[in-house]
Structures are given as C-alpha cells and as structure tokens.
Amino acid sequence: MSFVPLTPSEEAYAAEADQGDVFTENEPIALFKAWFAAATETEPNDPNAMTLATIDADGAPDARIVLLKDADARGLTFYTNLESAKGRQLAGAPHAALVFHWKTLRRQVRFRGAVAPVDPGEADAYFASRARGSQIGAWASAQSRPMETDDALTDAVRDLEGRFSEGEIPRPPHWSGFRLAPLSAEFWVNRPYRLHDRLVFSRARADGEWTTRRLYP
C-alpha cells in the first residue's frame, strides 16, 4: 500500500487563522527570541528542539535533532560529545544549518552560518548546571559509536557513579559546545492556501550589518 499524505481541503485552508504581522523586530536574534517566547507558551514539548544539519567527510549531508541552550548576539549554542558524528563533522567542516519548527504556532526559523567551539569556561559553567545523571551520562556514552554489548552503557554508568560518588563531577574532555554565528536567518509564517510569508535576514560576515528581503512562498 502506498503512503499518500492528505492534501488540506478548501474548508481546512479557509479555517487557518491569520496571525497578522509577526515580524515585530528588525534584527534576527531579537525576532527569534520573541518567537521562541511564544513557542514556550504553546509547544507541548521542547520548544528549543532544532534540526542540526552538517556535512560529513564525503560531502554528504547529515541531520539530527539537538537542543538549543543559548541564543545571543554571538549566535546559537548547543552542546555535544565532540567525538560523536556531529562533533567530528563540525570539526572537519565548521559550517551548519539549524531549523526550528513550531507546529502549534505554524512558524519555522532557519539559520545558516559558521560554527566554532565555545570557550572552555563557558562549557564548564553549563556542564556544572546539568543534572548529575546527565553529567554521568556525558562521561559514560561513547556517542555515535557501536556498543560492545547490550549492557555496556549501563555498566559504564554504574562504574562512573562509583567513581564520582562524592563531590562535583568535572566536564569530560570530550564534551563541549558549539556556537553557530548566523550569516542568514529565514523566518517563515504559515498562511492559508500555502501563500506563506518568508522574511530573510542576511549579512556578508558575522560582524556585518543585516539586510532583509521577502521571498515568494
């Protein structure tokens, strides 16, 4: 049996609410923060979930969902095992794309730009804020690599719980963060009959001035 997604009916399109003007800021990070604040009020789970797209050693694209941990004038920050697939890919090709899709708001945001490691002190501070179980997990998981046995991860967690039974848990040397400094940011708003609004911010370099343009849907 073939899988054929349903096309919205005339009635479904007509029932879509007009969101009005949602492009309320003239700078992309400020606009993103306004949209993100709205998403935290409506999304049932993880409004900070974003698709991270990278390039592997063969030049092929790769993508997965990660969690945004900070956004400011410098860019958007996330954390990972540096020896994971995404960590190795970013070390080899330090450019990436991020996509947020908030279904409840019917909005999407896309960022593209260069990626660089965060300062070690910044990574230390964030790691210290994590739950103790998550800190143990960062030490225990050889992320993206095959497990030798079904019990390898639980055994590693148990051993590390004994090793770090007292005191603070230091950040693993193989675990840190990356920050994407956007050169482009596209804000997409659903409109009836797929006549969507698309506003793009772009600049030539990370410290450059933003320009804007509208795109056809």
Side-chain angles (χ1 to χ4, degrees), residues 50-64:
M50 59 187 183
T51 300
L52 165 67
T54 54
I55 298 294
D56 70 13
D58 297 321
D62 202 356
R64 77 290 288 158

Side-chain angles (χ1 to χ4, degrees), residues 37-73:
T40 61
E41 298 294 326
T42 61
E43 287 296 309
N45 296 297
D46 299 327
N48 61 328
M50 59 187 183
T51 300
L52 165 67
T54 54
I55 298 294
D56 70 13
D58 297 321
D62 202 356
R64 77 290 288 158
I65 303 294
V66 300
L67 297 178
L68 175 72
K69 292 303 178 180
D70 193 17
D72 58 25

Side-chain angles (χ1 to χ4, degrees), residues 140-203:
S141 176
Q143 194 177 97
S144 302
R145 283 151 286 177
M147 285 201 299
E148 300 82 359
T149 67
D150 291 348
D151 298 326
L153 181 59
T154 54
D155 290 345
V157 168
R158 184 177 59 252
D159 292 345
L160 287 159
E161 286 174 338
R163 175 181 169 186
F164 296 121
S165 60
E166 297 181 0
E168 296 182 356
I169 300 175
R171 177 174 62 89
H174 58 263
W175 190 95
S176 191
F178 291 98
R179 178 176 291 110
L180 183 144
L183 294 179
S184 69
E186 179 185 320
F187 293 79
W188 177 100
V189 184
N190 181 84
R191 299 297 189 194
Y193 306 108
R194 306 201 189 283
L195 300 177
H196 312 307
D197 272 353
R198 297 173 66 184
L199 176 66
V200 176
F201 294 83
S202 60
R203 58 186 177 180

Side-chain angles (χ1 to χ4, degrees), residues 8-20:
S9 65
E10 186 80 14
E11 292 76 14
Y13 276 131
E16 291 181 354
D18 184 353
Q19 301 189 49

